[in-house]
Amino acid sequence: MSLSNVFGIAGSAMNAQTIRLNTTASNMANAESVSSSVDETYRARKPVFAVQQADPLADLQSSYGPEAGQGVQVLGIVESKADLRQEYNPAHPMADEKGFVYYPNVNVVEEMADMISASRSFQINTEILNTAKQMLQQTIRLGQ
Amino acid sequence: MAISFDAALGIHEDALLHRARRAEVLANNIANADTPNFKAKDVTFSQALNNASDTMSIKQVATSPGHQTALLDPGLAADMMFRIPTQASVDGNTVEVQQEMARYTENALGYQASFEFLNKKFTGLKSAIKGE
């Protein structure tokens, strides 16, 4: 039944958006985590989204032609390759021998926008879920 | 005279199935609103209606369980189509969430209408059986 697939699809999207919110929270929390070397510095983390394809066998067996995809999946979380913020501050307790401290490449404004976008997408998917739930509940009452 | 459920229920049964399938396709579009290079898809109602009401003049006979009758369905190719975006996105994503949301709501209302028609058919059949 296609309507119950909507639950899986919207659920996968909500899950993906939650992961996106989690990475944003982690980036924001570590936005000012200084370190004394380039390798140890925290880098902004971003999730990679991809379509979750339907089972190709199901396509052949269905009498209604090709199936819709099965929602969204998170392929992994990658670290941003943007340059780190380097600051000359010899008085800083974390300064290296040349007097530099390194700040993460987290752009707080970008993260805030990302957070709002993720929470809106989450809301829309709960809306989709609710509508599908109502449609199914109605179907159960058929013939009464 | 026997009551034929197929004849009594008419097109509404197929319409309900189509609406349920379209809900799935639209939900998938919205779920992938943030996926790079995702292309939004939709199923056309008129095409599905033709498929449901037309009877194919030449039928494929499956003589072995390995034969795939679905592959010869003429509606298969034209049924699901990619949407043409009004504002293409930089990352190759063609989902316009507001539009998809509007279509999803419209589809849910269509489902409700088809459901009501079907429900009334059943009520009618029931009163015919009881002879009230």
Side-chain angles (χ1 to χ4, degrees), chain B residues 30-47:
Chain B
I30 296 174
N32 283 294
D34 296 316
T35 309
N37 289 319
F38 177 79
K39 309 292 178 210
K41 285 179 280 188
D42 201 354
V43 280
T44 48
F45 187 73
S46 56
Q47 190 66 47

Side-chain angles (χ1 to χ4, degrees), chain B residues 2-126:
Chain B
I3 291 176
S4 157
F5 274 101
D6 259 358
L9 299 181
I11 197 93
H12 304 304
E13 192 190 346
D14 287 314
L16 211 60
L17 274 174
H18 168 75
R19 294 290 186 189
R21 181 168 174 245
R22 189 162 182 235
E24 192 189 342
V25 175
L26 294 178
N28 189 51
N29 285 349
I30 296 174
N32 283 294
D34 296 316
T35 309
N37 289 319
F38 177 79
K39 309 292 178 210
K41 285 179 280 188
D42 201 354
V43 280
T44 48
F45 187 73
S46 56
Q47 190 66 47
L49 198 69
N50 285 340
N51 287 353
S53 52
D54 279 8
T55 44
M56 276 172 73
S57 49
I58 301 173
K59 285 257 190 294
Q60 184 199 3
V61 184
T63 50
S64 141
H67 288 169
Q68 300 292 347
T69 44
L71 287 178
L72 276 192
D73 186 351
L76 189 83
D79 192 16
M80 184 109 73
M81 285 195 268
F82 288 112
R83 210 187 282 305
I84 296 163
T86 44
Q87 282 187 348
S89 157
V90 187
D91 63 356
N93 188 304
T94 60
V95 180
E96 277 145 353
V97 182
Q98 301 86 343
Q99 279 200 27
E100 298 294 338
M101 202 60 202
R103 285 198 183 92
Y104 186 83
T105 314
E106 183 213 356
N107 185 56
L109 283 174
Y111 185 89
Q112 213 168 351
S114 292
F115 174 84
E116 283 303 330
F117 286 132
L118 205 58
N119 213 8
K120 287 286 181 286
K121 291 267 186 194
F122 272 115
T123 321
L125 279 178
K126 257 173 82 185

Side-chain angles (χ1 to χ4, degrees), chain A residues 113-128:
Chain A
D114 225 18
M115 188 188 83
I116 295 167
S117 164
S119 71
R120 286 283 174 270
S121 298
F122 190 93
Q123 275 177 357
I124 284 179
N125 279 292
T126 48
E127 205 63 45
I128 296 285

Side-chain angles (χ1 to χ4, degrees), chain A:
Chain A
M1 178 84 190
S2 352
L3 265 184
S4 21
N5 288 346
V6 175
F7 288 100
I9 292 169
S12 76
M14 280 154 79
N15 183 38
Q17 298 300 342
T18 315
I19 292 174
R20 192 169 160 210
L21 272 177
N22 268 336
T23 54
T24 310
S26 163
N27 291 347
M28 299 265 262
N30 285 297
E32 300 295 326
S33 304
V34 289
S35 108
S36 42
S37 86
V38 178
D39 297 331
E40 282 169 21
T41 315
Y42 179 89
R43 285 165 186 274
R45 286 167 195 189
K46 304 277 176 197
V48 180
F49 288 1
V51 191
Q52 202 170 330
Q53 294 295 353
D55 181 14
L57 259 181
D59 268 9
L60 293 177
Q61 282 154 4
S62 111
S63 52
Y64 280 90
E67 300 270 329
Q70 291 297 308
V72 58
Q73 60 176 333
V74 179
L75 284 182
I77 293 170
V78 292
E79 287 190 329
S80 164
K81 296 234 167 50
D83 288 336
L84 296 172
R85 218 154 25 100
Q86 193 180 5
E87 199 176 281
Y88 182 68
N89 189 356
H92 199 286
M94 294 292 276
D96 63 1
E97 58 271 18
K98 286 176 189 156
F100 284 110
V101 283
Y102 299 91
Y103 285 92
N105 53 359
V106 175
N107 184 340
V108 183
V109 181
E110 197 181 288
E111 296 297 333
M112 278 301 283
D114 225 18
M115 188 188 83
I116 295 167
S117 164
S119 71
R120 286 283 174 270
S121 298
F122 190 93
Q123 275 177 357
I124 284 179
N125 279 292
T126 48
E127 205 63 45
I128 296 285
L129 207 73
N130 256 330
T131 313
K133 193 183 97 186
Q134 278 168 14
M135 280 155 87
L136 262 185
Q137 273 177 341
Q138 204 175 28
T139 317
I140 293 167
R141 289 197 304 272
L142 181 68
Q144 279 178 16

